[in-house]
Amino acid sequence: MQIKISSVMVSNQEQALKFYTEKLGFQKMADIPFGDYRWLTVTSPEGIAGVELSLEPMGFAPAKIFQQALYEAGIPATAFLTHDIQAELKKLKARGVVFRGEPTNMGPITAVMFDDTCGNWIHLVQPNQ
């Protein structure tokens, strides 16, 4: 068994697609109309081939409450891995990504969160050797 698709809930699919492709450098994989929404996924050119991130629409009212509670509590929706957090931070800041603080050593990882502009904090994580 393997993970093929993971998802983040987003408040606006078009805005999310723009952020994840233009700011993070991901590539659009699937974009299929699905009623009022779309089956919309992106992949990372640096990631494992075949693994997709679904930009999940917030069409279910309790999902909006859950996402807002996570955001207000400062809890990340997911985490992305990097092997050079300082270089990644510099590159993403230059593209306009807003970070919450600076990278912090947390023992086995160094991490910092950024805002995906669609209601989520995302953890940027570098493993510490």
Side-chain angles (χ1 to χ4, degrees), residues 12-69:
N12 180 302
Q13 285 186 299
E14 193 59 39
Q15 180 181 335
L17 179 61
K18 186 174 180 174
F19 178 84
Y20 281 83
T21 56
E22 294 178 11
K23 303 291 185 184
L24 300 187
F26 291 1
Q27 299 168 338
K28 181 168 64 169
M29 182 69 172
D31 190 352
I32 303 166
F34 196 74
D36 292 337
Y37 303 104
R38 296 147 61 185
W39 175 251
L40 185 59
T41 67
V42 293
T43 62
S44 169
E46 300 170 20
I48 298 170
V51 175
E52 300 173 55
L53 179 68
S54 172
L55 304 176
E56 192 71 38
M58 300 270 282
F60 183 58
K64 294 176 185 178
I65 296 166
F66 177 69
Q67 184 198 44
Q68 183 177 0

Side-chain angles (χ1 to χ4, degrees), residues 78-85 108-112 123-127:
T78 193
F80 299 148
L81 182 72
T82 181
H83 294 291
D84 187 343
I85 200 164
I109 63 168
T110 297
V112 63
H123 233 172
L124 180 62
V125 176
Q126 174 186 309

